[in-house]
Amino acid sequence: MKETLTVATVSKPQGIRGEIKVKVFCDDAQDLFQLKRVLIDGEEYALLNARGQGETAYLSLKGVFDRNAAELLRGKDIVAYREDMPELPEGTYYIGDLTGCEVVTSGGERIGEVISVTPARTDIYTLSTKDGEISFAAAQGVIEEVCVQEKRITVNKKRFKEVSV
């Protein structure tokens, strides 16, 4: 597994004191609140303050003191060390761990590789296949097993065909 995880993307500066608005890739913005440090373009920043909820958070970073400094971070990914992230409940995974997983049917037929996961009430997985891209909703009964150590997701073929586009 990766040592770091992409947890958010900087949307824009917020106000004149260097605060940034971010789109959160965790289930909830509160997952970021316990972080003490983050990485942006390989540079480590101490997290001074965090607020928000749902998919949006506002962060204050040490060394980012005004709007001009915050503007330089627009569009950049925010990365956290795995060791700093909260422990996940059983059956829950970080998107970064799912990306790159091979998706196969329970019969062993290869479907494709996960290139993105869009968080939603029912997450949407996008796969790269030999014929292009396929998306599917992780609805009940579709995903049978996830093994992030082996980078493999097993799906029920019948259910997969019902929910994929």
Side-chain angles (χ1 to χ4, degrees):
M1 285 192 271
K2 301 174 188 172
E3 291 180 26
T4 59
L5 298 165
T6 302
V7 294
T9 295
V10 179
S11 299
K12 65 178 189 165
Q14 176 69 26
I16 60 171
R17 296 203 167 122
E19 188 174 52
I20 54 174
K21 179 180 181 181
V22 303
K23 178 175 178 12
V24 178
F25 300 143
C26 304
D27 285 340
D28 194 314
Q30 293 192 5
D31 291 342
L32 302 182
F33 297 175
Q34 71 183 41
L35 297 176
K36 302 289 185 228
R37 60 193 173 152
V38 295
L39 298 167
I40 301 175
D41 274 352
E43 186 174 342
E44 189 171 294
Y45 293 88
L47 184 61
L48 301 175
N49 189 35
R51 62 186 176 86
Q53 64 184 41
E55 294 182 356
T56 303
Y58 300 91
L59 308 178
S60 297
L61 305 173
K62 186 173 184 178
V64 182
F65 296 112
D66 61 22
R67 186 175 185 88
N68 292 334
E71 184 65 46
L72 296 174
L73 302 177
R74 184 189 292 260
K76 299 194 177 196
D77 287 337
I78 298 176
V79 177
Y81 293 102
R82 179 181 294 279
E83 65 197 42
D84 294 344
M85 292 298 292
E87 194 67 33
L88 293 175
E90 183 74 27
T92 308
Y93 307 93
Y94 287 114
I95 290 173
D97 291 335
L98 298 174
T99 304
C101 283
E102 179 181 41
V103 177
V104 297
T105 65
S106 49
E109 177 186 343
R110 185 182 191 284
I111 298 173
E113 181 178 304
V114 177
I115 55 174
S116 70
V117 179
T118 305
R121 185 167 292 202
T122 301
D123 293 343
I124 307 298
Y125 289 61
T126 302
L127 310 179
S128 173
T129 71
K130 63 182 180 203
D131 298 323
E133 291 184 1
I134 295 175
S135 294
F136 74 94
Q140 178 124 11
V142 177
I143 296 176
E144 294 180 345
E145 180 183 20
V146 175
C147 184
V148 293
Q149 292 82 6
E150 295 178 21
K151 299 297 280 178
R152 188 185 68 251
I153 298 172
T154 305
V155 295
N156 177 292
K157 186 175 182 176
K158 181 178 182 240
R159 285 290 287 143
F160 176 84
K161 287 188 176 209
E162 293 172 353
V163 298
S164 63
V165 289

